[in-house]
Amino acid sequence: ILKISEDFYLREAKAVYTKAIELGSREVLPYLGMGNIALHYRDLAEAEKWFGQAKQLQPEHPAVLLAWGRLVLARNEPEKAQEFLEQSRSKGEDSSTLYGALGDVYFKLKAWDKAAENYKQALQNRRRNIDWRRSMGIALAQQGRKKEAELKFREVLAFTPDDVEGWRELRKLGVRY
C-alpha cells in the first residue's frame, strides 16, 4: 500500500489512507503513506505529524525508522538521518527507498564509497531513477573512478537525453561526447 504513495497516484493514495485512518486503523501504513505524500510535497511539518502518529503505534518498526530518517534528511540533518536509516536496515528494511536515502546521506557526508555502494543497491530495483544514477556517477568521480562515472552519466543521458546536469558532469570529467 505504501507503493502507491510513491508512484504518482497521490490523490488516490491519500483517499485510501484517509479512509483507513477514519476507520480507526491501528496499523502504521496509512500514517506512513500520508507522511510520504507530505514529504513528496516538501511539507515537513505535515510529514512529521503523520510520521509521529505512526511512531506512537510502533516506534521500532523498520518503516517508521525509515520515514524518520527521510524526514530528518529532508531537514538537512544527515548524521541524525544516518542513525535512523541504519537502525531501519538493522531491523530488516531492505528497500530501494532505504538504500537511496542512505546514498543521499553518505553523499551529503562526502563518504563517496558508501554513497556509491548504496546508490548501486537502490538502483537494483529502481533502474530508472535518474537522480540516484547521477549521484552515483558523482560519487564515483569523487573517488577517481572516472570510467565508471562516465558510464553512469551516459546511462542518465540514455534515459533523459536533455538532462543538463548529466551533460555538465560529463564535461567535468573532460569527456568528449
Side-chain angles (χ1 to χ4, degrees):
I1 194 165
L2 278 178
K3 187 70 176 151
I4 63 175
S5 66
E6 295 177 9
D7 287 337
F8 307 107
Y9 299 108
L10 299 178
R11 190 176 57 213
E12 294 89 344
K14 192 171 185 176
V16 169
Y17 300 141
T18 300
K19 186 69 172 172
I21 292 166
E22 287 172 355
L23 292 172
S25 176
R26 302 294 300 152
E27 297 294 324
V28 296
L29 294 179
Y31 299 98
L32 293 175
M34 293 295 282
N36 283 333
I37 292 168
L39 199 56
H40 175 82
Y41 288 113
R42 307 282 306 155
D43 187 344
L44 303 185
E46 183 74 4
E48 182 175 3
K49 176 186 100 174
W50 291 112
F51 292 158
Q53 290 182 19
K55 190 175 184 179
Q56 287 177 356
L57 294 171
Q58 292 185 41
E60 296 298 313
H61 191 289
V64 172
L65 295 167
L66 170 60
W68 278 100
R70 292 177 62 225
L71 176 65
V72 295
L73 181 60
R75 289 187 176 141
N76 202 26
E77 300 176 53
E79 292 88 359
K80 194 172 178 181
Q82 179 186 2
E83 290 175 30
F84 281 114
L85 296 170
E86 290 294 356
Q87 280 182 338
S88 178
R89 180 181 5 211
S90 75
K91 292 188 181 293
E93 182 66 35
D94 188 36
S95 65
S96 291
T97 301
L98 170 71
Y99 292 111
L102 281 167
D104 293 343
V105 161
Y106 291 120
F107 190 95
K108 285 180 181 262
L109 296 174
K110 297 183 180 353
W112 305 118
D113 56 335
K114 288 184 176 184
E117 177 186 319
N118 280 284
Y119 286 131
K120 180 179 180 181
Q121 190 73 23
L123 288 165
Q124 296 277 327
N125 294 320
R126 292 229 195 116
R127 288 177 169 73
R128 297 186 64 86
N129 189 305
I130 302 304
D131 293 329
W132 291 341
R133 194 171 298 279
R134 187 184 319 102
S135 293
M136 183 178 176
I138 293 168
L140 291 167
Q142 289 293 326
Q143 296 176 73
R145 297 163 62 183
K146 291 188 175 189
K147 285 291 184 192
E148 292 170 85
E150 177 185 348
L151 177 62
K152 289 299 154 204
F153 299 136
R154 291 193 183 280
E155 289 172 1
V156 166
L157 295 170
F159 285 118
T160 313
D162 59 347
D163 187 89
V164 174
E165 292 177 55
W167 288 109
R168 185 179 308 125
E169 293 300 331
L170 272 179
R171 277 194 303 277
K172 283 183 190 176
L173 289 177
V175 173
R176 295 197 170 250
Y177 332 116

